[in-house]
Amino acid sequence: MNYKKFDIESWNRKEHFYHYKDQLRCSFSLTTKIDITEVIAFIKERGYKFYPVIIYLIAKAVNKHPEFKFAMKNGELIQWETVNPAYTTMHAETETFSELCTLYTDDLKAFLKEYDKVQEKYKGNYALSPQKGIDNIFNISMLPWISFDGFNLNLPDLGEYFAPIFTLGKYMKNAEQVLMPLSIQVHHATCDGLHVARLLDSLQELCDNIKDGN
């Protein structure tokens, strides 16, 4: 869990950071559709599962952008070297879910192998958060039963939680494309719409050019 203390005083967003953290506490969400046509073809060809692959792609996109790796630690703003995806997994027998985390690695095959290990280890554990001790995370959940055009988490106050929160929906075929709704919720103290747009552009590029290697 390597990180560095972030120098707020020399940051060109210093005023924005304090304004949206302390004065006008503000988060915002954005819903869009990601073209996953190449991802679907890729997983069918290799026999992979969709959910861990899309988790990997989101994690790879997030780790390309430092604006989404902020956190508070011991009262100071820090920036993680790497952030890991914490994702919901459904228990069909109880219709409840747990949040699990797979440590991010740039190699897809290695990530999928670790994902399977986590699933096996916590199979049958119905606690909300059975894993402990992983601080450098961001969040992903999926609603595979429904597609949507808009989604918003009703979070009255994110406080000092700066990690992005992704919600995915049921993907749908549109002509020759397969589109997946994706919502992202962020804290305005550490990022703006420009940064979210760059992140989503990175995710789309990764989806268009998916491959086994890093």
Side-chain angles (χ1 to χ4, degrees):
M1 294 193 296
N2 292 330
Y3 63 88
K4 63 180 180 181
K5 295 179 182 179
F6 190 81
D7 183 8
I8 300 174
E9 295 305 310
S10 63
W11 193 13
N12 63 349
R13 290 193 80 260
K14 172 185 172 181
E15 183 179 3
H16 303 71
F17 173 75
Y18 284 122
H19 179 70
Y20 290 120
K21 184 178 82 73
D22 300 326
Q23 299 171 22
L24 181 62
R25 291 192 171 187
C26 178
S27 64
F28 68 92
S29 62
L30 183 149
T31 302
T32 187
K33 287 184 172 62
I34 299 295
D35 186 340
I36 57 168
T37 308
E38 295 301 322
V39 177
I40 296 300
F42 177 84
I43 63 173
K44 285 183 177 179
E45 179 181 318
R46 286 161 175 76
Y48 293 160
K49 299 173 184 176
F50 174 75
Y51 194 36
V53 170
I54 201 68
I55 289 171
Y56 163 83
L57 291 172
I58 293 172
K60 187 167 185 175
V62 169
N63 276 286
K64 287 178 177 288
H65 297 272
E67 295 84 7
F68 302 96
K69 297 193 279 187
F70 283 112
M72 296 297 292
K73 194 173 184 67
N74 300 322
E76 294 184 299
L77 184 65
I78 66 162
Q79 208 167 42
W80 297 111
E81 180 179 318
T82 302
V83 289
N84 304 295
Y87 47 87
T88 56
T89 183
M90 188 75 178
H91 304 296
E93 59 273 29
T94 61
E95 295 188 346
T96 61
F97 67 89
S98 296
E99 181 183 71
L100 299 176
C101 178
T102 297
L103 298 183
Y104 174 69
T105 173
D106 199 39
D107 183 271
L108 174 58
K109 287 184 176 179
F111 180 86
L112 296 180
K113 185 177 180 180
E114 185 62 25
Y115 174 92
D116 287 340
K117 286 182 180 178
V118 171
Q119 294 294 312
E120 181 62 28
K121 181 176 181 178
Y122 294 99
K123 181 174 61 177
N125 188 326
Y126 303 126
L128 176 60
S129 300
Q131 283 172 299
K132 305 298 180 185
I134 306 175
D135 295 330
N136 51 331
I137 64 168
F138 69 94
N139 308 95
I140 300 174
S141 62
M142 186 163 194
L143 306 176
W145 316 278
I146 187 170
S147 187
F148 52 78
D149 293 316
F151 183 92
N152 180 64
L153 291 171
N154 294 313
L155 301 172
D157 186 0
L158 274 177
E160 296 179 344
Y161 189 79
F162 300 133
I165 303 172
F166 294 87
T167 305
L168 317 178
K170 179 181 180 180
Y171 55 79
M172 305 289 288
K173 189 170 184 180
N174 179 20
E176 299 302 315
Q177 292 180 303
V178 182
L179 302 177
M180 180 187 69
L182 178 149
S183 174
I184 177 173
Q185 184 115 9
V186 294
H187 201 308
H188 206 357
T190 52
C191 68
D192 303 319
L194 172 65
H195 307 113
V196 171
R198 287 173 175 166
L199 170 59
L200 294 175
D201 284 345
S202 292
L203 176 58
Q204 185 61 69
E205 183 178 355
L206 290 169
C207 288
D208 291 341
N209 299 283
I210 186 170
K211 56 184 179 180
D212 276 316
N214 53 12

